[in-house]
């Protein structure tokens, strides 16, 4: 999409066949939309894309726009969310011997 390999990782996204109107919702419907991201193999890449490009609407990487704004405020010095989240995922995998996508610990 915007200067990265979104087309490549997007091919593996759990939401690739979902109706976009289901991912760009407000209020309580956001919890249902976030559930689509559970177990998605490219959740980290998706979230990093939304954070790095300051995407303001929709569910990306399991986070709402409000959650992403709060994260950006908490971590204003991050220049590349993709690098940060991928490094956190690699470190988690190294420490636990798993390949689970658990980079979320780096965002808190």
């Amino acid at each position: 999409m915007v200067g990265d390999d979104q087309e490549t990782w997007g091919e593996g996204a759990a939401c690739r066949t979902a109706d976009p109107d289901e991912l760009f919702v407000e209020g309580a419907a956001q919890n249902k939309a976030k559930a689509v991201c559970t177990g998605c193999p490219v959740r980290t890449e998706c979230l990093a894309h939304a954070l790095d490009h300051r995407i303001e609407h929709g569910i990306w990487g399991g986070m709402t726009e409000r959650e992403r704004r709060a994260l950006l405020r908490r971590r204003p010095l991050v220049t590349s969310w993709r690098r940060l989240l991928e490094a956190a995922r690699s470190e988690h995998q190294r420490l636990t011997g798993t390949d689970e996508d658990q980079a979320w610990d780096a965002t808190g």
Side-chain angles (χ1 to χ4, degrees):
M1 216 177 198
V2 185
D4 64 13
D5 64 343
Q6 194 269 333
E7 293 86 9
T8 302
W9 63 256
E11 293 172 4
C15 64
R16 72 187 171 283
T17 59
D19 179 354
D21 291 338
E22 294 176 7
L23 302 174
F24 293 86
V25 293
E26 296 181 7
Q30 289 180 327
N31 288 328
K32 182 179 177 186
K34 287 169 53 170
V36 173
C37 303
T38 303
C40 180
V42 295
R43 187 173 177 175
T44 299
E45 292 82 356
C46 180
L47 178 59
H49 176 80
L51 292 167
D52 282 337
H53 296 286
R54 304 301 196 261
I55 297 175
E56 295 184 15
H57 302 288
I59 303 298
W60 290 80
M63 293 183 85
T64 66
E65 54 268 16
R66 178 180 283 181
E67 292 167 333
R68 291 191 309 274
R69 279 193 307 270
L71 181 55
L72 289 167
R73 280 193 305 271
R74 283 195 313 268
R75 305 288 300 267
L77 302 178
V78 175
T79 57
S80 172
W81 285 95
R82 183 158 189 165
R83 271 197 316 263
L84 176 72
L85 293 175
E86 287 177 351
R89 179 174 52 195
S90 294
E91 181 66 8
H92 174 78
Q93 291 169 347
R94 186 183 70 75
L95 292 173
T96 64
T98 66
D99 60 357
E100 297 175 28
D101 187 4
Q102 303 257 332
W104 313 116
D105 293 336
T107 63

